[in-house]
Amino acid sequence: MTNQDTTQIWDSYAKKLSVYIFKIVNDREKANDISQEVFLKLYQNRHHLENPETVPAWLFKTAHNLAIDHFREQKKTKQFPEIVHKLGPEPQTFRNKDLAACINPFIEKLPEKYREAMILTEVEGLSQKALAKKLNISYSGAKSRVQRGRQLLKNLIIECCIVEHDSYGNIIAYRPRCSCK
């Protein structure tokens, strides 16, 4: 693949890639940085990408991996709660810093066994298998405890706030229902 091919490929996919990355990281600046990183990797690996049919998949896979690396780096630097799970039983990353900062007081209101499970898994990043081992309970018991903790947390937040979601379940807006404490 030549430099000109690389430029043409980038021109064809840059916009779609940028939108894709933004949906993952929810930060324009970071999405632009990651897009530039993808382009740099495309340029550096252009000699290994001989089959034009595989290039789009390679671009999006590289973008996905770099976005995940972004979250891993945040986790290493302990910037909680930069990443918390969606308020419900199915995990999904959420990046609204203002709302994320409000989660701690709600976690503190949970019953002890759920609070412990939420802190160990959601805050400290312990896997559910490791949680089961640490608490000396079954894996399915740990999964149930985390799922129930998420549901209780969701209920506490919904009691206090009006939360709006997009079609993917991402939180896009919130406002207080009352002056909750």
Side-chain angles (χ1 to χ4, degrees):
M1 178 181 303
T2 67
N3 290 349
Q4 184 177 1
D5 293 337
T6 305
T7 303
Q8 288 174 342
I9 290 169
W10 188 252
D11 290 343
S12 298
Y13 290 97
K15 179 89 171 143
K16 290 177 189 173
L17 207 53
S18 183
V19 169
Y20 174 75
I21 296 167
F22 178 74
K23 285 181 180 179
I24 297 172
V25 299
N26 200 27
D27 178 328
R28 284 267 177 243
E29 219 172 280
K30 193 61 188 171
N32 289 337
D33 291 347
I34 292 171
S35 291
Q36 291 304 311
E37 234 178 299
V38 172
F39 179 71
L40 181 62
K41 287 191 178 291
L42 173 65
Y43 182 78
Q44 291 169 338
N45 292 294
R46 68 187 181 280
H47 302 296
H48 303 289
L49 299 169
E50 295 302 322
N51 185 353
E53 293 174 12
T54 63
V55 173
W58 183 91
L59 285 170
F60 284 92
K61 183 65 176 173
T62 301
H64 179 81
N65 290 342
L66 289 170
I68 297 304
D69 288 347
H70 161 72
F71 290 118
R72 283 189 187 125
E73 188 58 38
Q74 280 186 330
K75 194 171 186 177
K76 281 181 193 172
T77 59
K78 300 275 186 198
Q79 291 181 355
F80 177 77
E82 284 291 311
I83 303 170
V84 295
H85 288 279
K86 179 177 85 173
L87 307 172
E90 295 301 318
Q92 178 181 347
T93 56
F94 170 67
R95 290 150 304 270
N96 185 311
K97 294 176 188 171
D98 295 333
L99 184 57
C102 298
I103 300 277
N104 267 342
F106 289 108
I107 290 175
E108 292 303 317
K109 290 182 179 181
L110 294 173
E112 175 59 34
K113 70 181 187 178
Y114 300 115
R115 179 173 54 242
E116 182 180 29
M118 295 302 290
I119 290 171
L120 290 172
T121 57
E122 308 301 329
V123 177
E124 296 179 10
L126 204 62
S127 71
Q128 291 179 6
K129 283 186 179 182
L131 175 69
K133 188 173 183 176
K134 181 175 179 98
L135 300 180
N136 199 24
I137 59 176
S138 68
Y139 175 52
S140 65
K143 287 179 11 178
S144 294
R145 195 171 289 186
V146 170
Q147 183 176 18
R148 179 73 177 137
R150 287 180 185 156
Q151 187 61 49
L152 289 170
L153 182 61
K154 177 181 180 179
N155 293 345
L156 285 171
I157 291 172
I158 288 175
E159 219 174 85
C160 187
C161 303
I162 297 169
V163 180
E164 296 176 35
H165 303 271
D166 65 12
S167 60
Y168 297 103
N170 298 311
I171 297 172
I172 56 173
Y174 63 94
R175 63 187 178 280
R177 284 187 197 274
C178 60
S179 56
C180 302
K181 300 218 179 203

